[in-house]
Amino acid sequence: MTQQGVEATENTLNTTVSGIIDVDVAIIGAGPAGLTAGYLLTKAGKTVAIIEKDATYVGGISRTVEHQGYRFDIGGHRFFSKSQAVVDLWNEILPDDFIQRPRMSRIYYEGKFYSYPLRAFEALGNLGILRSTACMASYLWRRAFPIKDVKSFEDWTTNQFGEKLYSIFFKTYTEKVWGMPCDEMSADWAAQRIKGLSLMGAVIDGLKRSLGLNKTPNDGQTVKTLLETFRYPRLGPGMMWDAARDKIVASGKGRVLMGHALDRVAAIGPNDEGFGWSMTATSAAGTAQIRAKDVISSAPMRELSRRLHPLPESTLQANDLKYRDFLTVALMIESDDLFPDNWIYIHDSKVQVGRVQNFRSWSPEMVPDENVACVGLEYFCFEGDGLWSSSDDDLVELAKREMQILGLVDPAKVIGGAVVRQEKAYPVYDEHYAANVDAMRAELEAKHPNLHLVGRNGMHRYNNQDHAMMTAMLTVENILAGQRVYDTWCVNEDAEYHEAGDEGAEAHLPNRGAETAASKPLSEDQVAALTSLRGVPERITAAPQPAFDEDIRKSA
């Protein structure tokens, strides 16, 4: 890496820089995708500079936030992948700090817990004879008289389970997560997300589980099987990405500029020195200028389009992309422990919280005091709305009240609290998102083949952690080859749920796009990693857009 007047201590993170940093690859964002790319590039002998807007943490939504010795996982991250290459990379970066943890999640409804997956006798007992009978009658009615013009998530799910079960186990939680009514969500998303699951199948499977008749592997389940245990870094997922950052810096070929937000990335060539891009990033201490041959971006597509020069023709489409935001309110409580679950889904309309994490169940080392329990209440919101804009003190008080309403915690035992906000946690799939993404993707690939989009927000896809990593791994292969031999967008939306199957079951590095003389077919391992996709609801198309907007979209 060449540099003009850079002021920094060797093998340390940079918060102040001056002059121009010249590298092979500039990377926007130090999340799982950006750090995976940086690690593999430096390992291959390439020089990199990574800019990260956060002044303290790397890892993006996979970071671990620390507050007075307590550690908070932002969203819950089980380390599981069907790709052996991803598993091997995790082990290479963090070889000695994984622990094996039991997996337990339950649904909370009207003061009672329901095992997830379902156990039939338990569910029937919790619901009671009268409600169970009403649920079955509602189911049989809809099987006999289904909604024929199925348009929405509500229509599809009601047809599959009946109104009663839909209202108990689907409606409240789904609307909390996505911030839109179930009768406005696309039925296509429901069919994909709950594909293959039926009431009869669930009851039969639940009876087997209740009677102990299921056998390994995966406890005999046939639909969307879930692992009973998972691996987890002992100090939270951020431990993985801290280690990746440190290895990049220690290589002598990589720099991580913390607290630097992207200001502008401009196409300049390649110029006489072989640099195709000039990038500036601003921090409290000043502006860093980076020149690079390639750029990897995990920044939200909407933000990248606004900072790209020359301004893309698809900027209007990119600006139309939307995101769902998220915040965690952590409570420290005088108690040995509250419940054994990793997290509990809250299917209760009386409270706004959607899910409650128990950080000690993820790892005992996340909680420093054995006499204190630490839980994280997860709220789904939009940046700037009432929840997001509330003060930390008000949010802590809200969390205490809601835990009391749910009967889970006595507020008098809460001895502390903290709030962590995560913007753009979930890319929203509305009726226009696919056309908007395709417009920007097509333009960038045609005009800027050495600008590479990776990760969840970089590709506006609701990716799992291992999929984000794999997009970076393939991008590195493209850069090293000097051409796009891998199509990082080849994701199969009909894939099984992320945690179905065996970890590392596929033994090779995902399908390359159209076969060309330079391309190679993807291995099964790569396909497994790239097809690990969670569904995201699409909003039902409302009234036709104004003719002006339609003309603009068609032109893209």
Side-chain angles (χ1 to χ4, degrees):
M1 171 167 49
T2 64
Q3 174 183 329
Q4 302 172 11
V6 175
E7 301 171 354
T9 303
E10 184 179 1
N11 290 346
T12 60
L13 302 182
N14 304 129
T15 55
T16 60
V17 292
S18 61
I20 299 174
I21 303 171
D22 288 342
V23 292
D24 293 313
V25 184
I27 300 174
I28 304 169
L35 289 171
T36 295
Y39 174 75
L40 293 175
L41 285 165
T42 55
K43 187 178 175 182
K46 298 292 184 181
T47 55
V48 305
I50 304 175
I51 63 168
E52 169 53 47
K53 183 169 61 174
D54 196 300
T56 306
Y57 297 103
V58 295
I61 197 172
S62 297
R63 71 192 184 279
T64 302
V65 173
E66 185 175 356
H67 173 78
Q68 297 179 353
Y70 294 86
R71 290 178 169 86
F72 315 135
D73 185 342
I74 314 305
H77 293 84
R78 299 185 178 107
F79 279 69
F80 170 85
S81 177
K82 289 189 286 184
S83 167
Q84 188 61 49
V86 171
V87 174
D88 288 345
L89 186 59
W90 281 332
N91 290 335
E92 181 178 322
I93 295 173
L94 198 68
D96 302 317
D97 289 292
F98 276 110
I99 56 177
Q100 196 76 20
R101 299 298 297 157
R103 182 197 187 284
M104 184 177 183
S105 301
R106 287 183 294 174
I107 294 170
Y108 179 94
Y109 177 71
E110 291 189 348
K112 295 180 180 179
F113 292 96
Y114 296 76
S115 295
Y116 180 66
L118 174 72
R119 284 182 169 83
F121 293 157
E122 173 194 76
L124 291 172
N126 283 348
L127 289 172
I129 295 298
L130 293 179
R131 183 172 285 179
S132 296
T133 302
C135 287
M136 186 58 66
S138 173
Y139 166 75
L140 293 174
W141 174 264
R142 273 299 163 216
R143 300 308 288 177
F145 303 100
I147 299 169
K148 294 182 178 179
D149 186 16
V150 176
K151 295 181 179 179
S152 68
F153 176 96
E154 181 173 293
D155 294 340
W156 191 94
T157 311
T158 297
N159 275 352
Q160 288 293 108
F161 300 97
E163 282 86 349
K164 294 292 185 182
L165 284 174
Y166 154 74
S167 65
I168 294 172
F169 292 114
F170 294 95
K171 178 179 171 62
T172 301
Y173 183 76
T174 302
E175 291 184 348
K176 284 181 183 180
V177 173
W178 295 107
M180 63 177 100
C182 286
D183 60 5
E184 293 183 18
M185 296 182 194
S186 168
D188 293 340
W189 175 74
Q192 181 241 321
R193 188 67 180 95
I194 319 172
K195 184 181 69 173
L197 183 63
S198 69
L199 178 59
M200 281 301 140
V203 169
I204 291 171
D205 182 75
L207 285 169
K208 288 181 178 179
R209 292 175 63 83
S210 299
L211 296 172
L213 299 178
N214 284 332
K215 305 297 180 183
T216 57
N218 288 316
D219 210 16
Q221 298 178 83
T222 58
V223 178
K224 298 194 182 302
T225 54
L226 300 173
L227 301 177
E228 299 299 327
T229 65
F230 60 92
R231 292 196 311 155
Y232 191 74
R234 60 184 182 82
L235 295 178
M239 193 179 193
M240 169 67 67
W241 305 115
D242 288 345
R245 173 202 60 200
D246 293 345
K247 289 179 183 294
I248 290 168
V249 174
S251 72
K253 293 183 175 295
R255 304 183 60 169
V256 182
L257 308 182
M258 300 298 294
H260 283 72
L262 178 65
D263 180 53
R264 187 174 189 242
V265 55
I268 60 173
N271 61 13
D272 293 340
E273 299 173 82
F275 296 109
W277 295 94
S278 174
M279 187 166 73
T280 56
T282 57
S283 71
T287 299
Q289 184 175 352
I290 303 167
R291 294 192 304 178
K293 299 171 184 176
D294 286 82
V295 170
I296 296 175
S297 175
S298 63
M301 294 180 77
R302 188 172 73 186
E303 294 187 4
L304 177 65
S305 69
R306 295 171 180 174
R307 291 161 175 79
L308 190 59
H309 181 79
L311 196 69
E313 295 177 10
S314 55
T315 297
L316 185 61
Q317 284 77 22
N319 283 344
D320 196 35
L321 293 172
K322 300 176 179 64
Y323 305 86
R324 185 73 163 152
D325 307 291
F326 172 88
L327 59 86
T328 295
V329 182
L331 298 179
M332 283 67 82
I333 303 155
E334 290 180 333
S335 173
D336 293 339
D337 216 343
L338 297 175
F339 42 80
D341 308 69
N342 308 118
W343 60 43
I344 297 173
Y345 299 96
I346 307 299
H347 290 223
D348 195 319
S349 60
K350 295 192 296 293
V351 294
Q352 297 180 71
V353 62
R355 195 168 63 182
V356 180
Q357 288 198 70
N358 181 5
F359 294 116
R360 194 191 304 278
S361 288
W362 288 94
S363 170
E365 293 187 57
M366 301 277 279
V367 183
D369 188 338
E370 63 181 12
N371 297 314
V372 176
C374 185
V375 299
L377 285 77
E378 298 179 349
Y379 293 89
F380 306 94
C381 51
F382 290 110
E383 187 176 359
D385 69 11
L387 269 176
W388 183 271
S389 302
S390 296
S391 69
D392 288 3
D393 289 343
D394 287 345
L395 288 169
V396 169
E397 289 303 314
L398 171 66
K400 290 164 62 176
R401 288 197 304 272
E402 296 204 334
M403 289 294 275
Q404 183 180 31
I405 291 170
L406 295 172
L408 296 178
V409 168
D410 178 357
K413 293 188 176 183
V414 176
I415 60 174
V419 177
V420 181
R421 290 173 174 81
Q422 177 60 50
E423 63 182 21
K424 298 178 178 62
Y426 305 103
V428 171
Y429 285 24
D430 58 21
E431 66 270 25
H432 297 304
Y433 93 95
N436 292 332
V437 169
D438 288 347
M440 186 172 179
R441 172 192 172 188
E443 181 180 1
L444 295 187
E445 289 185 350
K447 294 181 178 179
H448 305 297
N450 55 352
L451 173 59
H452 312 270
L453 305 183
V454 297
R456 176 182 285 203
N457 280 335
M459 303 172 78
H460 201 82
R461 287 196 158 173
Y462 186 24
N463 296 332
N464 300 318
Q465 181 176 221
D466 68 325
H467 171 257
M469 292 175 64
M470 185 58 72
T471 61
M473 295 164 78
L474 296 183
T475 294
V476 169
E477 293 295 321
N478 288 344
I479 291 173
L480 296 178
Q483 57 185 316
R484 289 180 185 264
V485 293
Y486 283 103
D487 177 12
T488 59
W489 295 82
C490 55
V491 176
N492 177 5
E493 295 192 4
D494 292 326
E496 294 180 27
Y497 178 67
H498 173 52
E499 294 182 9
D502 298 326
E503 181 181 53
E506 307 298 342
H508 308 282
L509 239 188
N511 237 7
R512 300 186 189 223
E515 291 293 330
T516 67
S519 71
K520 304 174 185 177
L522 290 171
S523 68
E524 292 182 359
D525 181 57
Q526 292 171 307
V527 172
L530 277 185
T531 57
S532 174
L533 182 70
R534 292 176 183 169
V536 182
E538 298 182 17
R539 190 182 291 272
I540 298 172
T541 303
Q545 297 291 309
F548 174 72
D549 287 349
E550 286 297 315
D551 290 342
I552 292 174
R553 294 185 187 283
K554 290 177 181 177
S555 68

